[in-house]
């Protein structure tokens, strides 16, 4: 299958990529950066990453005049698309913390084939994060028979263009964090491939979680002062996830009442406080098994479990496999 895109009237491709239809776990990563300079372009930076069955694009675009971007997809793809836009330019790290100051939307789509023209307005900074997955790669990440996406899979099997959510949803702060983790990863080689794949799965999980809940995050507006306290709460959890404070203790530490803390945290980060701590523990546990080659007992102690069996049960609930099966899954 092939995906390509360029600005109408330009000879330079934003990207043109052949994507293998089958998931190929041992395919080395390929990375490149593209900076296009034409009169209509004020800024156009593209970071691209590809592997067996995966193509990832992170673009920043700003134009001096109205333009149209031509895009074409040949063959079956599942795309996960995030769009951020605003009149003020901002760095990625600033963008990750500003869900109330810029527009954003995301969705997951199945595209059997597509051609389209997309108008871009001047003086608006667009940031795109696009995952293009082969059908085989997508079903490697999320089992075809999983109840998480039954209706979506039904349309895929019919070969019909479909969006997972009827309308695009707002991007949560937690999704932005994962996108930044992918784009700012300093690892190389096999470690980067493992890191990228694990973060793509996490990102899809966050999207599915929000879509199933039906919660539109921007319906609940968080006051700026409360937002700072919620971000402070997350920072405290990042530091103490092994033995986290209770919600009552956390509420006192950030000087925000429990109701506002729990509701605001859920709306801003797309998960509960308990879910966030669980995610930190499980992702760290997986990393320690894969990268540090620790024993299950050592990992349990490192992520705050008093007994190895407690980690095993939590890991199985979170990832669907036992900790001892992680390396087997990477080798198969």
């Amino acid at each position: 299958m092939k995906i390509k895109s360029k600005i109408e009237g330009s000879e330079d491709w934003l990207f043109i990529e052949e994507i293998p239809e089958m998931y190929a776990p041992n395919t080395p990563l390929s990375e490149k950066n593209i900076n296009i300079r034409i009169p209509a372009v004020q800024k156009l930076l593209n970071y691209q990453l590809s592997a067996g069955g995966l193509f990832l694009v992170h673009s920043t675009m700003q134009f001096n005049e109205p333009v149209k971007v031509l895009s074409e997809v040949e063959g079956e793809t599942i795309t996960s698309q995030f769009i951020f836009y605003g009149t003020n330019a901002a760095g990625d790290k600033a963008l990750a913390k500003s869900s109330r100051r810029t527009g954003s939307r995301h969705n997951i789509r199945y595209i059997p084939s597509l051609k389209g023209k997309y108008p871009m307005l001047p003086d608006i900074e667009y940031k795109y994060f696009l995952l293009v997955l082969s059908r085989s790669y997508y079903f490697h990440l999320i089992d075809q028979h999983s109840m998480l996406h039954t209706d979506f899979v039904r349309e895929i099997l019919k070969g019909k263009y479909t969006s997972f959510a009827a309308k695009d949803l707002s991007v949560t702060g937690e999704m932005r964090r994962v996108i930044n983790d992918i784009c700012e990863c300093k690892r190389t080689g096999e470690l980067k491939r493992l890191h990228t794949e694990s973060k793509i799965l996490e990102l899809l999980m966050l999207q599915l979680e929000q879509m199933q809940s039906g919660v539109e995050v921007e319906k609940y507006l968080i006051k700026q002062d409360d937002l700072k306290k919620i971000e402070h709460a997350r920072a405290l959890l990042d530091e103490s996830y092994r033995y986290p404070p209770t919600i009552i203790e956390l509420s006192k530490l950030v000087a925000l009442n429990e109701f506002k803390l729990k509701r605001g945290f859920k709306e801003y980060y797309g998960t509960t406080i308990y879910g966030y701590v669980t995610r930190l523990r499980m992702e760290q546990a997986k990393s320690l098994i894969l990268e540090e080659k620790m024993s299950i007992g050592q990992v349990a102690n490192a992520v705050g479990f008093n007994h190895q069996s407690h980690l095993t049960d939590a890991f199985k609930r979170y990832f669907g496999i036992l900790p001892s099966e992680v390396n087997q899954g990477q080798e198969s």
Side-chain angles (χ1 to χ4, degrees):
M1 60 188 184
K2 181 184 289 187
I3 180 169
K4 53 187 178 181
S5 181
K6 69 176 182 177
I7 299 169
E8 188 175 41
S10 170
E11 297 299 320
D12 295 318
W13 290 96
L14 301 177
F15 53 81
I16 179 167
E17 191 77 17
E18 293 272 359
I19 305 171
E21 292 187 4
M22 298 306 297
Y23 169 65
N26 298 319
T27 304
L29 288 182
S30 173
E31 298 178 83
K32 59 183 173 182
N33 287 283
I34 295 176
N35 185 357
I36 293 179
R37 298 181 183 277
I38 59 174
V41 171
Q42 189 175 136
K43 182 195 323 182
L44 206 163
L45 305 172
N46 256 6
Y47 166 72
Q48 301 173 22
L49 179 151
S50 59
L54 158 71
F55 179 58
L56 179 159
V57 180
H58 182 225
S59 297
T60 300
M61 304 180 183
Q62 197 162 357
F63 301 96
N64 297 315
E65 59 188 66
V67 301
K68 290 183 179 178
V69 173
L70 312 182
S71 293
E72 183 174 346
V73 176
E74 298 174 8
E76 291 185 292
T77 64
I78 287 86
T79 68
S80 171
Q81 184 181 56
F82 295 78
I83 303 173
F84 310 91
Y85 45 91
T87 55
N88 296 318
D92 288 340
K93 291 182 179 178
L95 181 60
K97 298 179 180 178
S98 60
S99 68
R100 297 296 178 267
R101 302 170 200 141
T102 185
S104 67
R105 54 191 174 89
H106 73 94
N107 213 327
I108 300 172
R109 293 183 172 88
Y110 167 70
I111 303 174
S113 283
L114 180 72
K115 290 184 180 180
K117 294 184 180 182
Y118 305 95
M120 300 290 198
L121 300 175
D123 300 321
I124 292 178
E125 184 179 72
Y126 299 90
K127 286 180 179 287
Y128 285 85
F129 183 82
L130 174 66
L131 296 173
V132 182
L133 310 176
S134 71
R135 177 167 150 174
S136 171
Y137 194 104
Y138 177 74
F139 286 142
H140 159 73
L141 293 175
I142 306 176
D143 185 84
Q144 179 175 335
H145 304 291
S146 170
M147 298 299 290
L148 290 172
H149 57 179
T150 303
D151 294 339
F152 187 58
V153 170
R154 186 180 299 117
E155 298 305 305
I156 290 176
L157 296 178
K158 292 178 182 176
K160 295 174 61 177
Y161 174 96
T162 187
S163 298
F164 197 104
K167 65 174 184 176
D168 291 355
L169 300 178
S170 299
V171 182
T172 68
E174 192 68 357
M175 292 173 191
R176 295 167 189 262
R177 177 190 65 80
V178 177
I179 290 171
N180 274 357
D181 286 347
I182 294 172
C183 296
E184 296 175 5
C185 177
K186 303 302 181 188
R187 295 179 174 91
T188 59
E190 180 68 2
L191 286 178
K192 182 158 189 174
R193 189 186 66 78
L194 289 172
H195 176 270
T196 301
E197 182 168 297
S198 70
K199 290 297 176 180
I200 288 172
L201 178 57
E202 184 178 359
L203 192 57
L204 289 171
M205 179 195 70
L206 291 170
Q207 289 184 277
L208 296 178
E209 186 176 55
Q210 185 193 22
M211 290 168 179
Q212 289 189 335
S213 73
V215 175
E216 178 53 81
V217 345
E218 292 193 358
K219 286 182 179 177
Y220 172 59
L221 297 178
I222 304 172
K223 294 179 181 178
Q224 191 63 32
D225 287 345
D226 290 349
L227 181 57
K228 291 178 181 178
K229 293 174 182 179
I230 291 166
E231 290 177 338
H232 183 205
R234 178 193 156 185
L236 291 174
L237 294 174
D238 287 345
E239 295 171 359
S240 60
Y241 67 88
R242 292 179 69 239
Y243 303 104
T246 65
I247 291 178
I248 293 174
E249 291 168 339
L250 189 61
S251 172
K252 291 178 180 177
L253 288 170
V254 300
L256 186 65
N257 73 54
E258 292 176 51
F259 176 79
K260 287 185 176 181
L261 175 60
K262 289 191 292 185
R263 182 176 181 182
F265 196 99
K266 171 69 174 176
E267 294 294 336
Y268 189 49
Y269 291 116
T271 185
T272 63
I273 292 172
Y274 174 79
Y276 183 70
V277 170
T278 299
R279 185 174 303 147
L280 290 175
R281 283 175 156 182
M282 294 302 100
E283 293 296 338
Q284 179 65 3
K286 183 178 180 183
S287 176
L288 292 174
I289 294 169
L290 285 172
E291 299 178 22
E292 304 297 330
K293 309 300 181 184
M294 285 188 178
S295 69
I296 307 304
Q298 290 173 321
V299 172
N301 181 64
V303 298
F305 287 89
N306 294 326
H307 300 286
Q308 179 176 321
S309 61
H310 295 169
L311 169 65
T312 299
D313 291 344
F315 198 95
K316 173 71 172 178
R317 286 195 301 271
Y318 188 82
F319 288 113
I321 61 173
L322 297 171
S324 57
E325 298 173 328
V326 171
N327 286 311
Q328 299 172 22
Q330 295 300 330
E331 290 168 3
S332 63

